[in-house]
Amino acid sequence: MDYLMETVPLLLMGLKVSVELFVVTLVLSLPLGLPLALGERSRIYPIQWICKVYVFVFRGTPLMLQLFFFYYFFPIALNITLDAMPTAMLTFVLNYAAYFAEIFRGGINSIDRGQYEAAYSLGLTRWQTTKDIVIPQMMKVVIPPVSNEAIVLIKDTALASVIALPEMMKVATGMVNRTGSLIPYVLAGAIYLAFTFLLTVLIHFIELHYSKYDAKEE
């Protein structure tokens, strides 16, 4: 019992760091993903290809490798030194923005072409059509895949331990190495499951909220 009383507060301190990383990543990468998705569909080819290359690079390389790149390469090549937390935030935001961009692009592509034609026949510009007609419908379509990525993000925060960020997995590993007991890993797993469960419940209520509007439209 004494061991648990010592272990749980330390894990909760690590959880606080994990939650901060999770929230910052979600809050910043979601709005960044939308202009990237629109950029991939842009008729201005330099913008289109810049966005496509960005998404390709960040989706095509491991998140752990990206963490190493920003944590070790910047100080050597660009003389830019970042602490572990800002490095993790920057890397996670850039990485998840690429994934959300693809989700948003898929959502936009799912909108029937007839709606574009109807909007153009009413005299709406391409931007007005995208902003007022396409994006609101797209947001409902992308809720499930965005929710899945949010759940993956909870688990991916553990990768930040590779750059010595004192998040929950780093704390648990330190305690296991110090005491030889696997209990910290078990407790960390239970906390991750609880976090995932709470997020799943929240997502369920969001989906119910939008399904009510769908029922009213019918």
Side-chain angles (χ1 to χ4, degrees):
M1 183 60 70
D2 292 339
Y3 182 73
L4 289 178
M5 294 297 291
E6 176 190 357
T7 302
V8 172
L10 292 175
L11 288 176
L12 292 179
M13 290 175 62
L15 175 63
K16 180 176 179 292
V17 176
S18 298
V19 170
E20 288 177 358
L21 179 57
F22 171 82
V23 171
V24 169
T25 301
L26 208 58
V27 168
L28 296 182
S29 61
L30 275 171
L32 180 59
L34 183 56
L36 283 171
L38 296 175
E40 287 189 276
R41 293 170 50 85
S42 174
R43 293 177 178 176
I44 304 174
Y45 286 103
I47 293 177
Q48 180 187 121
W49 283 107
I50 288 172
C51 292
K52 284 183 178 294
V53 169
Y54 173 94
V55 170
F56 175 76
V57 169
F58 278 95
R59 289 180 72 236
T61 54
L63 177 56
M64 187 181 295
L65 178 62
Q66 295 167 22
L67 284 165
F68 286 143
F69 177 85
F70 285 107
Y71 194 62
Y72 296 112
F73 178 79
F74 267 28
I76 295 172
L78 304 179
N79 198 28
I80 298 175
T81 303
L82 295 176
D83 292 335
M85 189 60 166
T87 300
M89 289 178 174
L90 173 65
T91 307
F92 272 71
V93 168
L94 294 177
N95 178 274
Y96 269 81
Y99 282 92
F100 288 135
E102 284 300 280
I103 291 172
F104 291 146
R105 187 174 67 85
I108 292 172
N109 289 340
S110 70
I111 305 301
D112 186 80
R113 289 298 305 175
Q115 300 202 34
Y116 289 90
E117 295 169 1
Y120 297 153
S121 68
L122 293 173
L124 297 180
T125 64
R126 180 181 173 86
W127 169 241
Q128 288 174 324
T129 302
T130 301
K131 176 174 65 74
D132 297 329
I133 296 176
V134 176
I135 291 179
Q137 294 182 76
M138 177 270 295
M139 294 307 292
K140 290 191 292 184
V141 173
V142 302
I143 288 177
V146 166
S147 302
N148 288 336
E149 283 299 318
I151 292 173
V152 172
L153 174 57
I154 294 174
K155 296 175 287 185
D156 276 355
T157 56
L159 292 175
S161 62
V162 300
I163 57 171
L165 183 71
E167 50 73 55
M168 189 167 57
M169 199 62 194
K170 180 70 173 178
V171 172
T173 300
M175 298 186 72
V176 169
N177 291 337
R178 189 173 72 249
T179 65
S181 172
L182 296 178
I183 291 178
Y185 282 151
V186 176
L187 293 175
I191 293 172
Y192 279 119
L193 284 173
F195 194 1
T196 301
F197 173 75
L198 291 175
L199 183 60
T200 302
V201 171
L202 175 61
I203 291 167
H204 176 68
F205 281 112
I206 293 174
E207 290 177 342
L208 283 178
H209 173 75
Y210 278 101
S211 66
K212 289 178 182 177
Y213 285 102
D214 291 338
K216 288 179 181 178
E217 289 175 3
E218 292 176 1

mmCIF file of all heavy atoms in Angstrom, residues 5 41 44-45 54 61-62 94 100 102 110 116 123 143 169 178-179 183 185:
data_model
loop_
_atom_site.group_PDB
_atom_site.id
_atom_site.type_symbol
_atom_site.label_atom_id
_atom_site.label_comp_id
_atom_site.label_asym_id
_atom_site.label_seq_id
_atom_site.Cartn_x
_atom_site.Cartn_y
_atom_site.Cartn_z
ATOM 1 N N MET A 5 0.899 4.344 -2.663
ATOM 2 C CA MET A 5 0.744 5.740 -2.249
ATOM 3 C C MET A 5 1.890 6.596 -2.783
ATOM 4 O O MET A 5 1.727 7.789 -3.007
ATOM 5 C CB MET A 5 0.682 5.825 -0.730
ATOM 6 C CG MET A 5 -0.553 5.168 -0.122
ATOM 7 S SD MET A 5 -2.096 5.975 -0.656
ATOM 8 C CE MET A 5 -1.941 7.549 0.191
ATOM 9 N N ARG A 41 -6.155 20.943 -52.330
ATOM 10 C CA ARG A 41 -7.152 21.029 -53.392
ATOM 11 C C ARG A 41 -7.055 22.346 -54.167
ATOM 12 O O ARG A 41 -7.842 22.592 -55.065
ATOM 13 C CB ARG A 41 -8.556 20.916 -52.783
ATOM 14 C CG ARG A 41 -8.872 19.554 -52.189
ATOM 15 C CD ARG A 41 -10.172 19.594 -51.389
ATOM 16 N NE ARG A 41 -11.262 20.197 -52.133
ATOM 17 C CZ ARG A 41 -12.039 19.546 -52.988
ATOM 18 N NH1 ARG A 41 -11.843 18.254 -53.209
ATOM 19 N NH2 ARG A 41 -13.016 20.170 -53.621
ATOM 20 N N ILE A 44 -3.847 26.652 -57.271
ATOM 21 C CA ILE A 44 -2.529 27.290 -57.356
ATOM 22 C C ILE A 44 -1.494 26.196 -57.088
ATOM 23 O O ILE A 44 -1.332 25.744 -55.948
ATOM 24 C CB ILE A 44 -2.392 28.433 -56.334
ATOM 25 C CG1 ILE A 44 -3.514 29.466 -56.535
ATOM 26 C CG2 ILE A 44 -1.032 29.100 -56.451
ATOM 27 C CD1 ILE A 44 -3.555 30.546 -55.490
ATOM 28 N N TYR A 45 -0.827 25.744 -58.111
ATOM 29 C CA TYR A 45 -0.018 24.536 -58.008
ATOM 30 C C TYR A 45 1.129 24.610 -56.999
ATOM 31 O O TYR A 45 1.411 23.603 -56.331
ATOM 32 C CB TYR A 45 0.486 24.131 -59.394
ATOM 33 C CG TYR A 45 -0.614 23.534 -60.229
ATOM 34 C CD1 TYR A 45 -1.228 24.267 -61.241
ATOM 35 C CD2 TYR A 45 -1.060 22.234 -59.986
ATOM 36 C CE1 TYR A 45 -2.262 23.724 -61.991
ATOM 37 C CE2 TYR A 45 -2.084 21.678 -60.729
ATOM 38 C CZ TYR A 45 -2.685 22.438 -61.736
ATOM 39 O OH TYR A 45 -3.714 21.884 -62.467
ATOM 40 N N TYR A 54 4.223 18.394 -47.663
ATOM 41 C CA TYR A 54 4.166 18.472 -46.199
ATOM 42 C C TYR A 54 3.435 17.258 -45.625
ATOM 43 O O TYR A 54 3.941 16.580 -44.724
ATOM 44 C CB TYR A 54 3.453 19.759 -45.779
ATOM 45 C CG TYR A 54 3.191 19.854 -44.298
ATOM 46 C CD1 TYR A 54 4.094 20.500 -43.456
ATOM 47 C CD2 TYR A 54 2.052 19.297 -43.726
ATOM 48 C CE1 TYR A 54 3.860 20.586 -42.095
ATOM 49 C CE2 TYR A 54 1.806 19.369 -42.370
ATOM 50 C CZ TYR A 54 2.717 20.017 -41.563
ATOM 51 O OH TYR A 54 2.479 20.092 -40.201
ATOM 52 N N THR A 61 6.832 9.451 -42.335
ATOM 53 C CA THR A 61 7.968 9.177 -41.453
ATOM 54 C C THR A 61 7.460 8.954 -40.027
ATOM 55 O O THR A 61 6.449 9.528 -39.630
ATOM 56 C CB THR A 61 8.970 10.347 -41.463
ATOM 57 O OG1 THR A 61 8.285 11.576 -41.150
ATOM 58 C CG2 THR A 61 9.617 10.487 -42.828
ATOM 59 N N PRO A 62 8.154 8.135 -39.248
ATOM 60 C CA PRO A 62 7.690 7.837 -37.891
ATOM 61 C C PRO A 62 7.702 9.073 -36.995
ATOM 62 O O PRO A 62 8.602 9.923 -37.098
ATOM 63 C CB PRO A 62 8.691 6.793 -37.386
ATOM 64 C CG PRO A 62 9.343 6.249 -38.612
ATOM 65 C CD PRO A 62 9.346 7.360 -39.615
ATOM 66 N N LEU A 94 2.662 19.377 -35.744
ATOM 67 C CA LEU A 94 2.974 19.263 -37.170
ATOM 68 C C LEU A 94 2.598 17.885 -37.699
ATOM 69 O O LEU A 94 2.088 17.752 -38.819
ATOM 70 C CB LEU A 94 4.459 19.535 -37.403
ATOM 71 C CG LEU A 94 4.941 20.962 -37.115
ATOM 72 C CD1 LEU A 94 6.445 21.065 -37.314
ATOM 73 C CD2 LEU A 94 4.216 21.974 -37.987
ATOM 74 N N PHE A 100 -4.820 15.034 -39.870
ATOM 75 C CA PHE A 100 -6.134 15.682 -39.914
ATOM 76 C C PHE A 100 -6.398 16.293 -41.277
ATOM 77 O O PHE A 100 -7.540 16.340 -41.740
ATOM 78 C CB PHE A 100 -6.234 16.750 -38.816
ATOM 79 C CG PHE A 100 -6.358 16.198 -37.428
ATOM 80 C CD1 PHE A 100 -5.615 16.716 -36.382
ATOM 81 C CD2 PHE A 100 -7.226 15.148 -37.159
ATOM 82 C CE1 PHE A 100 -5.726 16.199 -35.105
ATOM 83 C CE2 PHE A 100 -7.342 14.625 -35.883
ATOM 84 C CZ PHE A 100 -6.598 15.153 -34.851
ATOM 85 N N GLU A 102 -5.549 15.046 -44.144
ATOM 86 C CA GLU A 102 -6.047 13.981 -45.009
ATOM 87 C C GLU A 102 -7.482 13.594 -44.663
ATOM 88 O O GLU A 102 -8.288 13.289 -45.540
ATOM 89 C CB GLU A 102 -5.137 12.755 -44.906
ATOM 90 C CG GLU A 102 -3.834 12.901 -45.663
ATOM 91 C CD GLU A 102 -4.089 13.140 -47.153
ATOM 92 O OE1 GLU A 102 -4.360 12.176 -47.874
ATOM 93 O OE2 GLU A 102 -4.016 14.303 -47.579
ATOM 94 N N SER A 110 -16.065 13.819 -50.089
ATOM 95 C CA SER A 110 -17.291 13.024 -49.960
ATOM 96 C C SER A 110 -18.552 13.833 -50.261
ATOM 97 O O SER A 110 -19.631 13.256 -50.444
ATOM 98 C CB SER A 110 -17.396 12.448 -48.538
ATOM 99 O OG SER A 110 -17.660 13.473 -47.585
ATOM 100 N N TYR A 116 -21.905 21.611 -55.380
ATOM 101 C CA TYR A 116 -21.050 22.656 -55.946
ATOM 102 C C TYR A 116 -21.752 23.314 -57.135
ATOM 103 O O TYR A 116 -21.775 24.554 -57.254
ATOM 104 C CB TYR A 116 -19.718 22.058 -56.416
ATOM 105 C CG TYR A 116 -18.790 21.620 -55.312
ATOM 106 C CD1 TYR A 116 -18.839 20.329 -54.808
ATOM 107 C CD2 TYR A 116 -17.838 22.492 -54.786
ATOM 108 C CE1 TYR A 116 -17.971 19.912 -53.812
ATOM 109 C CE2 TYR A 116 -16.968 22.091 -53.789
ATOM 110 C CZ TYR A 116 -17.040 20.806 -53.304
ATOM 111 O OH TYR A 116 -16.176 20.390 -52.314
ATOM 112 N N GLY A 123 -24.759 31.748 -58.032
ATOM 113 C CA GLY A 123 -23.839 32.880 -58.076
ATOM 114 C C GLY A 123 -22.814 32.914 -56.969
ATOM 115 O O GLY A 123 -22.093 33.906 -56.808
ATOM 116 N N ILE A 143 -16.221 13.485 -38.070
ATOM 117 C CA ILE A 143 -16.206 13.253 -36.613
ATOM 118 C C ILE A 143 -15.653 11.872 -36.255
ATOM 119 O O ILE A 143 -14.771 11.764 -35.396
ATOM 120 C CB ILE A 143 -17.608 13.465 -36.002
ATOM 121 C CG1 ILE A 143 -17.951 14.947 -35.983
ATOM 122 C CG2 ILE A 143 -17.668 12.911 -34.581
ATOM 123 C CD1 ILE A 143 -19.342 15.238 -35.459
ATOM 124 N N MET A 169 4.545 7.836 -19.194
ATOM 125 C CA MET A 169 5.312 6.633 -19.522
ATOM 126 C C MET A 169 6.757 6.774 -19.072
ATOM 127 O O MET A 169 7.368 5.793 -18.616
ATOM 128 C CB MET A 169 5.247 6.379 -21.030
ATOM 129 C CG MET A 169 5.589 4.962 -21.426
ATOM 130 S SD MET A 169 4.415 3.795 -20.702
ATOM 131 C CE MET A 169 5.284 2.269 -20.966
ATOM 132 N N ARG A 178 14.006 1.777 -11.185
ATOM 133 C CA ARG A 178 14.501 2.025 -9.834
ATOM 134 C C ARG A 178 14.117 0.915 -8.855
ATOM 135 O O ARG A 178 14.906 0.531 -7.994
ATOM 136 C CB ARG A 178 13.976 3.370 -9.314
ATOM 137 C CG ARG A 178 14.619 3.796 -8.004
ATOM 138 C CD ARG A 178 14.224 5.196 -7.599
ATOM 139 N NE ARG A 178 12.843 5.265 -7.157
ATOM 140 C CZ ARG A 178 11.872 5.861 -7.809
ATOM 141 N NH1 ARG A 178 12.123 6.446 -8.974
ATOM 142 N NH2 ARG A 178 10.648 5.892 -7.339
ATOM 143 N N THR A 179 12.892 0.401 -8.992
ATOM 144 C CA THR A 179 12.381 -0.555 -8.007
ATOM 145 C C THR A 179 12.356 -1.994 -8.515
ATOM 146 O O THR A 179 12.298 -2.929 -7.718
ATOM 147 C CB THR A 179 10.963 -0.172 -7.577
ATOM 148 O OG1 THR A 179 10.071 -0.283 -8.695
ATOM 149 C CG2 THR A 179 10.929 1.255 -7.041
ATOM 150 N N ILE A 183 4.557 -2.840 -11.381
ATOM 151 C CA ILE A 183 3.296 -2.208 -10.982
ATOM 152 C C ILE A 183 3.102 -0.838 -11.628
ATOM 153 O O ILE A 183 1.988 -0.513 -12.066
ATOM 154 C CB ILE A 183 3.199 -2.121 -9.449
ATOM 155 C CG1 ILE A 183 3.024 -3.525 -8.851
ATOM 156 C CG2 ILE A 183 2.027 -1.226 -9.022
ATOM 157 C CD1 ILE A 183 2.972 -3.550 -7.344
ATOM 158 N N TYR A 185 3.909 0.165 -14.560
ATOM 159 C CA TYR A 185 3.410 -0.046 -15.918
ATOM 160 C C TYR A 185 1.927 -0.431 -15.897
ATOM 161 O O TYR A 185 1.143 0.029 -16.740
ATOM 162 C CB TYR A 185 4.200 -1.143 -16.617
ATOM 163 C CG TYR A 185 5.545 -0.715 -17.141
ATOM 164 C CD1 TYR A 185 6.589 -1.638 -17.251
ATOM 165 C CD2 TYR A 185 5.786 0.600 -17.545
ATOM 166 C CE1 TYR A 185 7.824 -1.259 -17.749
ATOM 167 C CE2 TYR A 185 7.017 0.994 -18.019
ATOM 168 C CZ TYR A 185 8.041 0.053 -18.128
ATOM 169 O OH TYR A 185 9.257 0.446 -18.618
#
